[in-house]
Amino acid sequence: MQPAGSASRLAVLVAVVVLASSAACCRAQLASNYYAGKCGNASVEAVIQSAVQARLAWDKRMVAGLLHMLFHDCFVQGCDASLLLDGPNTEKTAPQNSGIFGYDFIDDIKSDLEAACPGVVSCADIIIAATRDAIALCGGPSYAVTLGRRDGMVSVSWMAGDLPSPHVDIPTAIAMFAKKGFNSFEMATLMGAHTVGVTHCSVIEDRLYNFNGTGKADPSMDPTYAWVLTTYACQKGQPFDNIVYLDDPSSILIFDRSYFNQIKNRRGVLPVDQALGIDPATSWMVEFFATTDFFPAMFAHSITKMAALEVKTGTAGEIRRNCRVTN
């Protein structure tokens, strides 16, 4: 049951969210159909969508890779593809980004577009459009994106410190998102991307085997679920750092609201996942998304706002010929 007053609180939040998003989009100077007529006879968005369809046909985990990439790029210096740059001490080398995958896929799309129209489409726009297409193809909401971003030319590993840790507490997470212009409701909405997310056993090992030095599992996790994880996915002493999905096994590759039901059932995998359902500031949001059909629409809004975060347009940045190096 929702706490009294939560409906009115939601209405206020939605109003604030819409106004903030509109202002951000205007400042960003992005545009719909930005690439229309700029790539010869090719449609930039059609090229990207075709590539996403082909990749998801054999690798549906790519939706998680793209979402992870988008968030870790946009949250650090804005959506400028700085995460993609190779080299010593770049963002890509930061511990916070060690689990990101899909760089090769962005390279493939970039190669296709460079063949059609050299020097026209930014790597930053490729991330945004490909993620949009992957979400829709995995059962998530369809939403329009505005394009016209340019690629950043600076990437330094320490900047990844802006990213919230999987172990962060909710008040700290709220503060970190607030610095980027997001309220707590938008934060909870964006965490719903974990419905197709993955992590590794090493990230949750303490939670499964030695929570706060007790030598036991985190008591906030459903004991049966903890047993399943330690028996099958994350056996003690196993030679490989296995992948763990963040949602129910029946829904791991479908973009839906089941992640929030996982939390309600005390089956959040990452510490921050379960904390979202425990902290009074956000627990009502988990309940709201788990029991209504509002998640797809609110996620489309929140990810669109994320995609407009601190973007470079006009004469700022550049259009990289290769996503891994500056021109």
Side-chain angles (χ1 to χ4, degrees):
M1 181 180 295
Q2 281 181 242
S6 64
S8 59
R9 182 169 20 167
L10 175 62
V12 172
L13 281 170
V14 170
V16 170
V17 161
V18 170
L19 289 173
S21 178
S22 299
C25 288
C26 291
R27 288 195 302 270
Q29 300 177 354
L30 303 176
S32 301
N33 300 317
Y34 177 82
Y35 292 109
K38 296 181 181 179
C39 196
N41 294 324
S43 163
V44 168
E45 294 209 38
V47 169
I48 295 173
Q49 185 179 57
S50 177
V52 173
Q53 287 177 322
R55 183 65 177 242
L56 290 180
W58 63 272
D59 183 13
K60 283 192 167 55
R61 280 201 313 130
M62 187 50 63
V63 64
L66 288 168
L67 277 160
H68 199 181
M69 185 184 297
L70 184 152
F71 176 68
H72 279 229
D73 181 49
C74 292
F75 215 74
V76 179
Q77 303 189 88
C79 306
D80 66 351
S82 57
L83 175 62
L84 305 185
L85 290 172
D86 285 341
N89 300 317
T90 58
E91 290 171 48
K92 189 181 286 187
T93 68
Q96 296 92 330
N97 294 324
S98 62
I100 293 179
F101 61 93
Y103 298 118
D104 64 312
F105 181 47
I106 301 299
D107 290 340
D108 290 343
I109 298 175
K110 179 63 171 173
S111 294
D112 291 343
L113 289 169
E114 284 296 299
C117 46
V120 172
V121 184
S122 69
C123 302
D125 276 346
I126 292 173
I127 295 173
I128 299 302
T131 304
R132 181 271 315 269
D133 292 337
I135 289 170
L137 289 167
C138 288
S142 297
Y143 58 93
V145 297
T146 51
L147 301 173
R149 296 162 191 78
R150 290 172 68 86
D151 299 321
M153 302 170 67
V154 177
S155 183
V156 185
S157 60
W158 63 260
M159 292 179 175
D162 283 352
L163 294 163
S165 157
H167 304 275
V168 70
D169 60 78
I170 295 302
T172 302
I174 289 174
M176 294 177 80
F177 273 83
K179 286 181 180 178
K180 300 294 182 179
F182 295 87
N183 60 46
S184 57
F185 191 73
E186 292 169 318
M187 179 195 76
T189 304
L190 289 167
M191 285 180 63
H194 288 179
T195 185
V196 291
V198 297
T199 189
H200 287 84
C201 291
S202 58
V203 177
I204 60 171
E205 184 176 13
D206 287 352
R207 191 171 183 224
L208 294 176
Y209 289 102
N210 192 28
F211 181 71
N212 287 346
T214 61
K216 299 178 181 179
D218 183 348
S220 70
M221 181 181 282
D222 169 37
T224 301
Y225 195 56
W227 177 84
V228 169
L229 290 176
T230 55
T231 303
Y232 297 103
C234 301
Q235 294 178 0
K236 204 165 189 176
Q238 65 187 10
F240 302 106
D241 192 10
N242 286 347
I243 284 175
V244 182
Y245 289 94
L246 302 183
D247 201 353
D248 183 271
S250 66
S251 182
I252 54 178
L253 297 175
I254 302 172
F255 198 96
D256 57 18
R257 69 185 187 192
S258 63
Y259 161 79
F260 296 101
N261 282 304
Q262 280 284 98
I263 295 175
K264 280 186 61 180
N265 294 329
R266 298 170 55 206
R267 294 188 170 192
V269 175
L270 297 175
V272 69
D273 291 333
Q274 199 57 59
L276 193 72
I278 295 173
D279 193 291
T282 53
S283 59
W284 70 271
M285 302 174 191
V286 171
E287 178 71 22
F288 177 78
F289 282 133
T291 56
T292 70
D293 295 322
F294 281 91
F295 172 59
M298 285 308 304
F299 186 84
H301 161 76
S302 298
I303 196 71
T304 300
K305 181 174 176 178
M306 175 66 73
L309 184 62
E310 300 173 22
V311 299
K312 295 172 176 63
T313 58
T315 58
E318 64 180 6
I319 305 297
R320 286 186 218 141
R321 292 187 291 269
N322 180 333
C323 290
R324 293 175 181 263
V325 296
T326 60
N327 296 339

